[in-house]
């Protein structure tokens, strides 16, 4: 097993592959662990398969990876994907979704996804989320964001991208805090319940 690197050093991750075939996933993970890496990644998921398949493959692989090394799920994903993957032992993620969907008028909030292209926002002076820790989510009117998105203004994509990244960071910090407090299950249930309520009612 390789020694733990200093933070200034390069970290080498082995990537466990295998599609949606559990036996191949396990064989790949065994090979990666036997070789020894600074961290371990799970690749080749979130590429069109149902979320249930992705989570099933994480269930196969994550328990096989060393607990003292970071576990990285590549190219994932939605806030729900992150919540469920962390519940299965994943530590790290990367994904274009917050900015890509922001460029297409979609915001992520504690209410779930909010599509600013929808006409219901056209005359709504309320912010996306008045309780958000991110200023743009608290102060920009939905009507203004709707106008920017419908007009193709670059500012709309910029604002929604930063709002989405801020929400992802807030969600991840919430998970870290909940894990540290031994309260992840409660945090998970509360977060999912908030998403299930959906966005605030139209005016």
């Amino acid at each position: 097993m390789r020694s733990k690197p200093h933070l200034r050093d390069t970290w080498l991750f082995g990537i466990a592959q295998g599609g949606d075939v559990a036996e191949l996933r396990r064989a790949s993970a065994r090979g990666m662990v036997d070789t020894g890496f600074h961290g371990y990644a799970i690749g080749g998921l979130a590429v069109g398969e149902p979320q249930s398949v992705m989570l099933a493959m994480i269930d196969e692989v994550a328990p096989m990876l060393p607990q003292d090394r970071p576990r990285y799920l590549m190219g994932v994903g939605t806030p729900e994907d992150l919540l469920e993957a962390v519940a299965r032992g994943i530590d790290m993620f990367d994904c274009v979704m917050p900015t890509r969907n922001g460029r297409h008028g979609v915001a992520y909030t504690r209410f779930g996804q909010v599509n600013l292209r929808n006409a219901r926002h056209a005359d709504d002076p309320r912010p996306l989320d008045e309780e958000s820790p991110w200023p743009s989510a608290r102060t920009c009117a939905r009507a203004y964001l709707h106008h920017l998105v419908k007009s193709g203004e670059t500012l709309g994509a910029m604002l929604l991208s930063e709002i989405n990244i801020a929400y992802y960071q807030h969600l991840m910090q919430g998970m870290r805090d909940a894990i540290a407090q031994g309260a992840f299950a409660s945090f998970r249930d509360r977060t999912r319940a908030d998403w299930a309520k959906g966005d605030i009612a139209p005016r």
Side-chain angles (χ1 to χ4, degrees):
M1 185 70 72
R2 296 176 183 272
S3 61
K4 292 183 180 179
H6 190 278
L7 288 179
R8 67 172 177 266
D9 295 334
T10 299
W11 289 55
L12 185 63
F13 280 65
I15 306 173
Q17 300 280 6
D20 61 358
V21 182
E23 182 178 353
L24 295 178
R25 285 280 175 184
R26 291 193 296 269
S28 179
R30 280 193 297 269
M32 294 298 103
V33 173
D34 289 346
T35 300
F37 291 92
H38 299 131
Y40 296 88
I42 302 175
L45 293 173
V47 289
E49 79 282 357
Q51 185 196 55
S52 60
V53 173
M54 179 189 76
L55 297 178
M57 293 303 100
I58 297 172
D59 285 335
E60 293 289 342
V61 174
M64 301 178 65
L65 304 179
Q67 294 187 6
D68 65 341
R69 303 298 166 100
R71 302 167 179 181
Y72 163 35
L73 183 58
M74 304 177 72
V76 176
T78 67
E80 183 181 16
D81 289 339
L82 271 59
L83 186 67
E84 293 304 312
V86 168
R88 289 162 171 79
I90 300 300
D91 304 300
M92 303 167 60
F93 305 88
D94 76 298
C95 192
V96 301
M97 194 164 289
T99 53
R100 183 183 65 195
N101 285 4
R103 292 195 302 272
H104 290 88
V106 174
Y108 290 102
T109 75
R110 63 190 171 96
F111 307 119
Q113 290 189 37
V114 179
N115 187 349
L116 272 303
R117 290 185 174 276
N118 289 347
R120 59 165 285 188
H121 304 291
D123 298 311
D124 194 335
R126 297 173 296 177
L128 271 173
D129 182 0
E130 61 186 10
E131 297 182 13
S132 171
W134 191 249
S136 299
R138 288 197 314 272
T139 60
C140 290
R142 290 166 178 250
Y144 179 56
L145 294 171
H146 172 82
H147 162 72
L148 293 175
V149 169
K150 294 294 284 186
S151 300
E153 292 282 353
T154 302
L155 180 58
M158 294 171 63
L159 287 172
L160 290 177
S161 292
E162 70 174 36
I163 287 169
N164 289 348
I165 292 171
Y167 176 72
Y168 271 59
Q169 292 295 320
H170 181 68
L171 176 65
M172 293 304 296
Q173 185 62 58
M175 285 193 268
R176 286 192 291 272
D177 293 343
I179 290 169
Q181 297 163 10
F184 180 80
S186 296
F187 177 87
R188 180 189 186 190
D189 291 344
R190 186 168 62 253
T191 301
R192 292 180 65 86
D194 285 343
W195 290 338
K197 292 176 185 175
D199 194 15
I200 57 177
R203 290 180 69 97

